[in-house]
């Protein structure tokens, strides 16, 4: 083997354009994945400016270079706009400096402008090399050794404006910031019966304000893809007045920074305030959120998903060959989607063209099916219906919670109530699960009764885990008849599903059970069939990651191993994903039972790691993992093996994982699942059917399944799905978190999809 052949492949990583939370997670994953794959990673500082400047602006990185950045906002390698990179001279400088370092593979994290510029650089690469050789700036040997530039793009943009990807890096965190602000403004606005007009980022894309309007229960939203009709000022005032008449004490109006009217004229917060002041006699308060939407700690999603993307990006640039086109790696239904770079950039930029041409239907269509759906749902849920009673003989849909508490239960209930009322149904709330139904704790829920439930934690209707017994079925049937319940919507966890199955088995004996029944998955355990993500799981994950961050901070002053238990029973979703998002070195899952020999091996490796200078080692356990090898046992083994080299602490994260307001994802997810449930119930009642089904999010989108399918989809003993999409990520923890010894490289085939689906993004 020649010296040149023995030279490790060198991979450059840069962040360009506006910063976005989660960029650091992607950089960390690129660097550590490159090292594990035998490559040398380099940071190109301050975006393309670093490539143009060369010298110290292109820095070789090692494992510790990206330590302790996973939970940081912004980008530690910097970002800047570089005018020289748009000129031939700047491109020549960048090419020369990269070749001098032996870099011919790039992972670029930025917006569509940065990625388009990157693709142009790649296309010009051969001619740049030719000119550099001709002018003596690069040797022919070096030019031959780096004749081809491989490029993979990751989109870092809080606007979520990439067509073909459900979510871009930073979007989830930005939406979380907006909803936190809206929740806080709502409380002060309600205290004084005020109106707030809030400006939200979104120059050309209305994703953030639209989803914030749905998740925050706002009254009105202005976005560039769906401008209001002429006379919007009167429509706005009427809707706010209707809301107050229906019982609202506050009004929140969201305005995208790129909001326009049908004629393309800009709509500002001042325009909205002027309109409301002239019609309602009181000037609203204005809040401009600004760059707080970009900053701060990234959410759990904006840590684990950029980590997956970073690993896949390294694999992508290693696999590319001359003639291959540049690619963007995005996300489709929790899978990594591989998309042609320029086709995707052109599709994304086309939306701006549609709005400029006033082709607003095309702009909405380009954003994807779920974007259009959320527009329609927001219109229904934000506008109070006429305060007339339900039509005579209206069918009655009852709603209850069953199982453990999950953040987002209230959001789902609110959505079911308002969407069902909009279809002409009467909605009932059953308090206290099946016990409440037996005791007659049933009350009508009107549009105004669920006001404010969208962002409230807990469960306003209460929830119990108990599955009804055979002795209780008669009383349940009588109560269904006494309250003239025509359909039942159950929001809850595994016990809710078992309860429905038990009712189905008794339909021959109890005719009252022969009504449409739909279960909506709500469980922090994320262990329900037919849904890859249950309501509450994302909120619980964020809570767990917050706690693990605090644990890591507490251990920073000493040499310590910390063993933490995450909830989940026999499902390891919370444990694995919180380990990945917090930077834990090891995770134990019930799905992959650990042996005593493995625990001992981990302890020995841990000892070597601390002896080499490590200060913290975080282990996350699924609460049921290991059987008798529980948290205390594992901690004792580690401590005894350490022999004083490091100390060991352990704790259960506990019920904080169930608490707090639902996350932005859980609010949007709950609304979409509720809409599907109402659609299924409406279809059954219209056709006179009595089927029982459960709804969920799978790899194709929001779907429903007959309860008969459940037995083929679950491990009944372990109470979890037979197929769990996230399990293939376990090996990735070893790649990005452990440098002490060889680890298996993950096969992410389940996460890779080819091309872009024809319906655009689904924004799951």
């Amino acid at each position: 083997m020649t010296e040149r052949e023995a030279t490790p492949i060198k991979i450059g990583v840069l962040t360009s354009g506006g910063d976005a939370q989660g960029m650091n997670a992607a950089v960390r994953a690129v660097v550590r994945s490159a090292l594990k794959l035998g490559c040398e990673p380099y940071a190109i500082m301050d975006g393309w400016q670093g490539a143009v400047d060369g010298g110290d602006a292109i820095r070789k990185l090692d494992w510790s270079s990206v330590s302790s950045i996973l939970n940081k906002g912004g980008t530690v390698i910097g970002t800047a706009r570089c005018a020289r990179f748009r000129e031939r001279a700047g491109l020549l400088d960048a090419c020369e400096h990269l070749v001098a370092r032996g870099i011919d593979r790039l992972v670029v994290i930025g917006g569509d402008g940065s990625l388009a510029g990157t693709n142009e650089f790649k296309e010009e690469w051969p001619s740049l090399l030719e000119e550099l050789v001709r002018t003596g700036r690069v040797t022919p040997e070096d030019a031959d050794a780096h004749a081809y530039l491989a490029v993979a793009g990751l989109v870092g943009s809080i606007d979520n404006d990439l067509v073909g990807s459900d979510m871009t890096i930073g979007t989830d965190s930005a939406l979380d910031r907006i909803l936190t602000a809206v929740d806080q403004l709502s409380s002060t606005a309600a205290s004084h019966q005020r109106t707030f007009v809030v400006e939200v980022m979104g120059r050309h894309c209305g994703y953030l304000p639209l989803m914030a309007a749905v998740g925050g229960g706002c009254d009105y939203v202005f976005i560039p893809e769906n401008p209001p009709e002429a006379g919007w000022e009167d429509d706005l005032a009427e809707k706010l007045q209707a809301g107050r008449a229906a019982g609202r004490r506050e009004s929140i109006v969201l305005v995208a920074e790129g909001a326009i009217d049908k004629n393309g004229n800009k709509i500002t917060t001042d325009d909205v305030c002027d309109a409301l002041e002239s019609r309602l006699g009181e000037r609203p308060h204005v809040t401009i959120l600004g760059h707080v939407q970009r900053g701060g700690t990234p959410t759990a999603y904006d840590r684990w998903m950029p980590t997956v993307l970073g690993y896949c990006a390294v694999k992508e640039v290693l696999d590319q060959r001359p003639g291959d086109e540049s690619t963007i790696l995005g996300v489709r239904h929790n899978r990594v989607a591989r998309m042609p770079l320029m086709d995707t950039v052109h599709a994304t930029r086309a939306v701006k063209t549609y709005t400029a041409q006033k082709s607003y239907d095309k702009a909405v269509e380009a954003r994807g099916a779920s974007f259009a759906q959320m527009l329609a749902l927001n219109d229904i849920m934000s506008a109070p219906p006429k305060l007339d009673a339900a039509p005579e003989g209206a069918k009655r849909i009852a709603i209850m919670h069953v199982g453990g508490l999950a953040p987002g239960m209230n959001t789902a209930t609110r959505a079911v109530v308002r969407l069902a009322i909009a279809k002409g149904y009467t909605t009932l709330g059953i308090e206290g699960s099946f016990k409440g139904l037996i005791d007659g704790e049933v009350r009508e829920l009107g549009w105004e009764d669920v006001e404010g439930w969208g962002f409230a934690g807990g469960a306003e209707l209460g929830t119990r885990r108990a599955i009804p017994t055979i002795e209780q079925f008669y009383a349940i049937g009588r109560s269904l008849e006494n309250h003239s319940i025509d359909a039942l919507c159950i929001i809850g966890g595994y016990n809710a599903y078992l309860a429905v199955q038990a009712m189905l088995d008794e339909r021959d004996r109890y005719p009252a059970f022969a009504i449409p029944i739909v279960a909506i998955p709500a469980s922090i355990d994320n262990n329900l069939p037919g849904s890859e993500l249950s309501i509450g799981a994302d909120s619980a994950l964020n809570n767990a990651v917050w706690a693990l961050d605090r644990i890591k901070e507490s251990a920073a002053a000493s040499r310590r191993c910390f063993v933490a238990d995450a909830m989940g029973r026999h499902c390891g979703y919370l444990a694995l994903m919180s380990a990945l998002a917090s930077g834990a070195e090891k995770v134990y899952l019930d799905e992959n039972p650990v042996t005593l020999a493995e625990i001992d091996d981990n302890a020995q490796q841990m000892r070597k790691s601390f002896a080499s200078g490590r200060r913290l080692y975080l282990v996350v356990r699924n609460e049921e993992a290991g059987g008798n090898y529980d948290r205390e046992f594992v901690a004792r083994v580690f401590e005894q093996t350490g022999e004083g080299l490091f100390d060991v602490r352990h704790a259960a994260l506990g019920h904080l994982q169930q608490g707090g307001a639902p996350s932005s994802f859980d609010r949007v997810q709950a609304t979409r699942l509720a809409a599907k449930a109402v659609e299924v119930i409406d279809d059954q009642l219209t056709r006179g059917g009595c089927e029982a089904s459960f709804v969920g999010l799978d790899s194709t989108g929001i779907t429903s399944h007959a309860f008969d399918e459940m037995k083929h989809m679950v491990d009944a003993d372990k109470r979890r799905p037979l197929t769990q999409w996230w399990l293939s990520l376990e090996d990735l923890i070893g790649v990005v978190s452990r440098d002490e010894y060889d680890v298996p490289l993950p096969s992410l085939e389940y996460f890779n999809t080819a091309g872009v689906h024809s319906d655009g993004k689904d924004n799951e």
Side-chain angles (χ1 to χ4, degrees):
M1 180 180 293
T2 67
E3 182 178 347
R4 185 176 299 279
E5 290 173 332
T7 301
I9 293 173
K10 299 177 181 181
I11 299 174
V13 58
L14 63 90
T15 52
S16 183
D19 64 302
Q21 306 97 318
M23 280 184 164
N24 284 330
V27 170
R28 172 179 176 268
V30 169
V31 170
R32 293 188 170 178
S33 298
L35 290 169
K36 284 294 175 67
L37 291 166
C39 305
E40 288 184 1
Y42 286 78
I44 301 170
M45 306 299 294
D46 297 314
W48 284 112
Q49 187 68 52
V52 171
D53 293 344
D56 290 341
I58 302 177
R59 303 176 186 174
K60 185 177 179 180
L61 301 178
D62 58 23
W63 186 272
S64 61
S65 300
V66 290
S67 296
S68 303
I69 69 170
L70 187 59
N71 64 335
K72 293 182 179 179
T75 165
V76 296
I77 62 173
T79 180
R81 305 196 185 278
C82 180
R84 286 194 62 209
F85 190 68
R86 300 188 183 99
E87 302 169 354
R88 179 75 178 182
L91 295 177
L92 286 166
D93 288 344
C95 182
E96 178 185 4
H97 295 145
L98 292 177
V99 170
R101 296 298 184 97
I103 299 170
D104 56 11
R105 288 166 173 82
L106 291 176
V107 176
V108 179
I109 307 163
D112 63 337
S114 300
L115 297 178
T118 299
N119 190 70
E120 180 184 352
F121 183 51
K122 173 181 176 174
E123 291 179 345
E124 291 292 327
W125 184 266
S127 71
L128 294 170
L129 285 176
E130 182 181 351
E131 183 172 342
L132 291 170
V133 170
R134 188 172 64 250
T135 56
R137 295 167 64 179
V138 168
T139 67
E141 292 78 13
D142 283 340
D144 290 342
H146 305 290
Y148 168 70
L149 180 67
V151 169
L154 305 181
V155 179
S157 168
I158 68 168
D159 291 336
N160 202 30
D161 54 355
L162 181 72
V163 171
S165 181
D166 293 340
M167 196 75 78
T168 55
I169 295 171
T171 300
D172 190 63
S173 300
L175 184 55
D176 180 75
R177 300 290 182 277
I178 296 169
L179 284 174
T180 297
V182 168
D183 290 354
Q184 293 168 347
L185 289 172
S186 295
S187 62
T188 190
S191 299
H192 301 278
Q193 297 191 60
R194 288 176 176 165
T195 298
F196 275 81
V197 179
V198 183
E199 183 182 282
V200 176
M201 283 186 172
R203 190 174 306 160
H204 300 291
C205 179
Y207 178 88
L208 285 177
L210 175 59
M211 298 304 165
V214 173
C218 299
D219 299 70
Y220 211 92
V221 61
F222 294 90
I223 63 172
E225 297 94 336
N226 188 44
E229 300 287 348
W232 61 264
E233 299 90 344
D234 293 327
D235 181 60
L236 171 63
E238 289 171 7
K239 285 190 175 179
L240 264 58
Q241 285 179 314
R244 294 297 175 91
R248 280 181 174 164
R249 289 184 57 85
E250 82 284 354
S251 302
I252 304 290
V253 179
L254 299 184
V255 182
E257 60 180 339
I260 55 176
D261 64 18
K262 285 286 187 183
N263 294 318
N265 300 312
K266 187 173 178 59
I267 296 176
T268 67
T269 54
D270 283 340
D271 295 331
V272 174
C273 289
D274 291 344
L276 291 176
E277 184 178 25
S278 66
R279 287 159 178 79
L280 303 181
E282 181 179 345
R283 191 165 185 84
H285 295 262
V286 173
T287 298
I288 298 176
L289 297 182
H291 284 77
V292 299
Q293 296 162 88
R294 286 191 184 279
T297 303
T299 60
Y301 180 89
D302 274 329
R303 302 189 201 188
W304 71 258
M305 183 51 81
T307 299
V308 175
L309 290 170
Y311 173 78
C312 289
V314 172
K315 295 283 287 182
E316 176 69 19
V317 295
L318 291 178
D319 291 343
Q320 279 185 24
R321 295 293 180 266
D324 291 348
E325 60 184 335
S326 303
T327 57
I328 289 178
L329 299 181
V331 181
R332 292 283 301 174
H333 304 302
N334 292 316
R335 277 78 168 166
V336 174
R338 185 175 177 274
M339 301 173 288
L341 190 150
M342 286 312 299
D343 288 351
T344 306
V345 168
H346 290 150
T348 298
R349 291 179 171 177
V351 182
K352 280 187 262 185
T353 303
Y354 294 146
T355 55
Q357 296 171 343
K358 302 181 179 60
S359 300
Y360 302 117
D361 289 343
K362 289 184 178 180
V364 170
E365 182 182 0
R367 290 288 180 219
S370 68
F371 189 90
Q373 180 198 32
M374 295 309 285
L375 274 173
L377 291 179
N378 183 61
D379 285 344
I380 295 170
M381 294 180 59
S382 63
K386 294 180 180 179
L387 300 179
D388 301 331
E392 185 176 352
K395 298 288 187 179
R396 294 157 66 86
I397 301 173
I399 307 159
M400 74 163 75
H401 303 154
V402 178
L405 180 65
M409 281 181 156
N410 285 328
T411 313
T413 301
R414 170 181 178 268
V416 171
V417 168
R418 292 192 171 177
L419 295 173
I421 288 174
K423 289 183 176 291
Y425 295 107
T426 296
T427 53
L428 309 172
I430 300 171
E431 298 184 352
S433 302
F434 282 101
K435 179 67 164 55
L437 178 59
I438 292 170
D439 295 340
E441 298 293 331
V442 181
R443 62 185 173 95
E444 186 171 335
L445 291 177
W447 190 94
E448 69 284 357
D449 293 319
V450 294
E451 176 64 19
W453 285 22
F455 47 84
E460 293 292 330
L461 293 177
T463 186
R464 299 186 180 203
R465 297 181 183 274
I467 301 171
T469 63
I470 292 177
E471 293 77 15
Q472 293 174 316
F473 284 147
Y474 175 77
I476 290 172
R478 287 298 303 271
S479 188
L480 291 172
E481 293 171 343
N482 291 340
H483 292 94
S484 302
I485 293 173
D486 298 295
L488 189 59
C489 179
I490 300 180
I491 302 165
Y494 207 93
N495 279 9
Y497 286 54
L498 295 180
V500 173
Q501 283 190 322
M503 292 177 68
L504 296 179
D505 291 340
E506 297 294 328
R507 274 186 169 179
D508 290 342
R509 298 176 59 195
Y510 302 102
F513 293 175
I515 58 175
I517 303 174
V518 176
I520 297 177
S523 169
I524 69 166
D525 295 343
N526 200 36
N527 64 334
L528 300 174
S531 194
E532 296 188 346
L533 288 169
S534 300
I535 297 169
D538 186 71
S539 302
L541 177 58
N542 278 289
N543 290 338
V545 171
W546 178 89
L548 292 171
D549 282 351
R550 305 289 85 74
I551 285 172
K552 292 178 72 172
E553 289 172 0
S554 73
S558 60
R559 293 191 174 195
R560 176 170 295 171
C561 166
F562 210 106
V563 183
D565 270 6
M567 283 183 167
R569 297 179 183 269
H570 293 286
C571 178
Y573 174 82
L574 280 180
L576 176 56
M577 303 309 277
S578 63
L580 192 58
S582 64
E585 282 74 19
K586 185 65 182 177
V587 64
Y588 292 136
L589 306 176
D590 187 69
E591 287 86 351
N592 297 321
V594 63
T595 66
L596 187 57
E598 289 172 326
I599 294 174
D600 178 62
D601 179 63
N602 296 155
Q604 298 297 335
Q605 295 292 347
M606 189 183 302
R607 178 179 171 83
K608 293 178 183 177
S609 180
F610 277 103
S612 300
R614 178 179 287 277
R615 301 193 65 83
L616 171 66
Y617 202 103
L618 179 60
V619 178
V620 181
R621 289 182 68 258
N622 169 205
E623 61 184 345
E624 296 291 343
N628 290 329
Y629 306 144
D630 59 14
R631 182 181 76 250
E632 292 85 351
F633 176 84
V634 171
R636 287 197 299 270
V637 171
F638 290 165
E639 188 163 31
Q640 182 165 328
T641 304
E643 296 180 336
L645 182 61
F646 56 92
D647 64 13
V648 182
R649 298 288 186 272
H650 63 86
L653 300 183
H655 287 81
L656 69 83
Q657 294 161 92
Q658 291 182 299
S663 69
S664 57
F665 177 89
D666 276 330
R667 300 187 199 194
V668 174
Q669 168 88 332
T671 302
R672 296 190 68 205
L673 290 175
K676 184 65 175 181
V678 172
E679 175 190 314
V680 171
I681 291 173
D682 180 52
D683 177 67
Q684 287 292 303
L685 291 176
T686 301
R687 295 192 294 106
C690 60
E691 294 179 6
S693 58
F694 49 89
V695 298
L697 168 68
D698 64 17
S699 60
T700 63
I702 301 292
T703 60
S704 65
H705 299 268
F707 255 93
D708 289 344
E709 299 177 41
M710 180 173 170
K711 59 180 175 290
H712 304 298
M713 301 169 71
V714 298
D715 178 338
D717 293 333
K718 295 291 189 177
R719 294 165 61 109
R720 66 190 182 212
L722 291 172
T723 301
Q724 299 185 100
W725 61 272
W726 46 268
L727 269 177
S728 61
L729 291 176
E730 184 178 4
D731 287 340
L732 190 55
I733 289 177
V735 173
V736 296
S737 294
R738 296 202 304 275
D739 64 332
E740 299 90 353
Y741 54 98
D742 291 335
V743 296
L745 296 176
S747 172
L748 298 182
E749 294 176 1
Y750 186 69
F751 275 73
N752 286 306
T753 58
V756 182
H757 293 248
S758 59
D759 64 344
K761 75 198 311 179
D762 259 2
N763 294 319
E764 303 294 0

